[in-house]
Amino acid sequence: MTAAVSSPQATPCDPARQEAFEGRMLTALNEACLMLMTSIGHRSGLFDALNGAAPMTVEDLATRAGLQQRYVREWLGAMVAGGIVEIDPEAATYSLPAEHAALLTRSGEANLAVYAQYVPLLGSVEEDLLTCFRDGGGVPYERYRRFHEVMAEDSGQAVLPALISDILPLVPDLIARLESGIRVLDAGCGRGRALMLMAERFPRSRFTGFDLSEEATAWARDAAKRKGLTNVTYEARDLRDFDATAPQAAFDLVTTFDAVHDQAQPLRLLKGIRRALADDGVYLAQDIKGSSHHHLDRDHPLGPMLYTVSCMHCMTVSLAQGGEGLGAMWGRETAERYFAEAGFGAVETHELDHDPVNYYYVCRP
């Protein structure tokens, strides 16, 4: 006689909880669409055109920004409905409050509109990503047409303003060594703006940048040439075998800025960095702040965004190269374990007040 198998009981639906979740999802939908229009406002220069200006009509704003009036009008509708731009209905004029302009324009210290660009950038590969969900594999770097451009703007706010004043001083005496002249490598340098800043500030030191992207390194070479910098070079280089190909003891300082977790072979990169360091060298790594456990990231203030960026870019570009697919939210626990496995004997983990998104690791042989 076969025992009866009881079916699981469905959890009763709580109407109040359902209503609250419905409200949350509608808010999220509105905010996501607002981010699309915020990206448009940034890239088109509309926020900058409104910045510090007297209230303007649609016609005046379109003329000032050099844009088509019909599109500007519809964009303003989204901005007014989203509470970003203010309207005077009687005068039919629009204005950007100074408090909003400080966070949405190129003249502000922290332009949050820069980060809104990730929404359309990631959305552009949705079909590719769905194919990967079904069949495996990854989405290659080439599918992200503006990735290095957006990342350069991102790091231009998170890294460059604090590089000399806050990040490099995490290593005692590093500024003095750079002033005297040392050899520096930035692995995964992208457009190389951090290296250019250091090359300008420390002319006695020599700087090298490696990145997989020929487009990014070509941009960096042109920019360095325009600046007249002769102490910095950039090379397009695949770092998947860096553990075997890194020049031994060739650098006194190695840096990575948000560059380890999307590598095809992150541990091999780290082993290569260890190999490339002189005995008294130091490795300074900026990487995403998070845990290696989902339940510990529930209260992360940017958790949904960072996991989305990880899934739709960092993880998948690694898998596209036949890599590990570590992802942006690899977390502090995994990062510290990888540093140890790569051969670093001492690892310090720092947080900086200006940057709620990243950890800063100081690693020594």
Side-chain angles (χ1 to χ4, degrees):
M1 182 176 179
T2 304
V5 178
S6 60
S7 59
Q9 296 294 314
T11 304
C13 182
D14 180 344
R17 186 178 184 184
Q18 178 178 333
E19 183 178 357
F21 182 69
E22 180 182 21
R24 177 193 168 195
M25 292 305 292
L26 289 174
T27 298
L29 180 61
N30 267 325
E31 298 297 283
C33 291
L34 192 61
M35 286 300 98
L36 287 171
M37 298 305 277
T38 298
S39 178
I40 292 289
H42 171 71
R43 295 184 64 192
S44 66
L46 279 164
F47 287 131
D48 295 316
L50 284 164
N51 185 21
M56 285 185 282
T57 64
V58 174
E59 296 83 359
D60 290 340
L61 177 57
T63 299
R64 183 169 185 174
L67 300 171
Q68 296 296 313
Q69 179 179 321
R70 182 66 188 91
Y71 282 91
V72 171
R73 175 180 175 79
E74 209 70 4
W75 178 82
L76 283 168
M79 291 295 105
V80 170
I84 292 178
V85 169
E86 293 182 346
I87 184 173
D88 180 339
E90 294 184 1
T93 57
Y94 301 82
S95 60
L96 183 66
E99 297 82 1
H100 298 187
L103 297 171
L104 292 173
T105 61
R106 289 172 173 83
S107 64
E109 291 186 9
N111 185 357
L112 298 181
V114 166
Y115 308 106
Q117 296 174 98
Y118 283 113
V119 178
L121 176 65
L122 298 176
S124 69
V125 300
E126 182 180 14
E127 292 300 322
D128 305 73
L129 198 74
L130 281 168
T131 299
C132 295
F133 266 80
R134 300 184 186 105
D135 303 332
V139 182
Y141 272 110
E142 309 86 76
R143 291 288 294 123
Y144 302 84
R145 291 195 305 115
R146 298 187 60 244
F147 175 74
H148 285 290
E149 179 186 343
V150 174
M151 277 298 300
E153 279 197 277
D154 184 336
S155 64
Q157 296 192 140
V159 174
L160 298 188
L163 182 60
I164 308 299
S165 60
D166 297 285
I167 299 173
L168 295 179
L170 291 172
V171 182
D173 301 324
L174 181 55
I175 295 292
R177 294 185 68 191
L178 285 161
E179 289 174 339
S180 297
I182 59 175
R183 303 159 299 170
V184 181
L185 169 68
D186 188 18
C189 65
R191 289 189 168 185
R193 294 180 66 191
L195 277 184
M196 271 181 263
L197 177 60
M198 287 191 283
E200 288 182 287
R201 173 66 175 78
F202 306 109
R204 293 184 178 178
S205 290
R206 306 293 301 180
F207 300 89
T208 302
F210 293 155
D211 195 273
L212 180 65
S213 171
E214 178 59 53
E215 178 275 326
T217 51
W219 188 97
R221 284 191 294 270
D222 288 344
K225 184 177 180 180
R226 289 194 301 271
K227 289 176 176 288
L229 295 172
T230 59
N231 60 335
V232 59
T233 60
Y234 298 95
E235 178 183 339
R237 182 164 176 173
D238 190 332
L239 299 175
R240 275 180 285 192
D241 59 354
F242 203 51
D243 56 332
T245 62
Q248 289 187 304
F251 299 100
D252 306 293
L253 169 67
V254 178
T255 59
T256 56
F257 296 104
D258 198 19
V260 173
H261 61 257
D262 57 358
Q263 295 291 321
Q265 300 294 337
L267 186 54
R268 290 183 186 177
L269 169 64
L270 293 173
K271 287 181 177 180
I273 290 172
R274 172 64 185 88
R275 170 187 167 113
L277 272 182
D279 290 341
D280 62 345
V282 62
Y283 167 42
L284 178 58
Q286 172 213 43
D287 220 293
I288 299 298
K289 181 185 295 184
S291 166
S292 302
H293 309 284
H294 289 171
H295 68 284
L296 296 179
D297 287 324
R298 284 180 294 193
D299 295 326
H300 195 301
L302 289 171
M305 174 189 172
L306 291 172
Y307 273 105
T308 299
V309 173
S310 181
C311 182
M312 299 191 75
H313 181 268
C314 308
M315 179 189 77
T316 193
V317 295
S318 174
L319 292 172
Q321 300 174 67
E324 183 177 342
L326 191 60
M329 294 299 279
W330 60 323
R332 175 175 176 172
E333 300 92 331
T334 301
E336 292 177 344
R337 175 167 58 84
Y338 272 40
F339 295 140
E341 290 182 17
F344 292 100
V347 178
E348 302 170 7
T349 304
H350 299 268
E351 299 179 50
L352 294 177
D353 290 339
H354 83 281
D355 187 354
V357 177
N358 294 288
Y359 287 123
Y360 292 83
Y361 301 99
V362 176
C363 309
R364 299 181 186 276

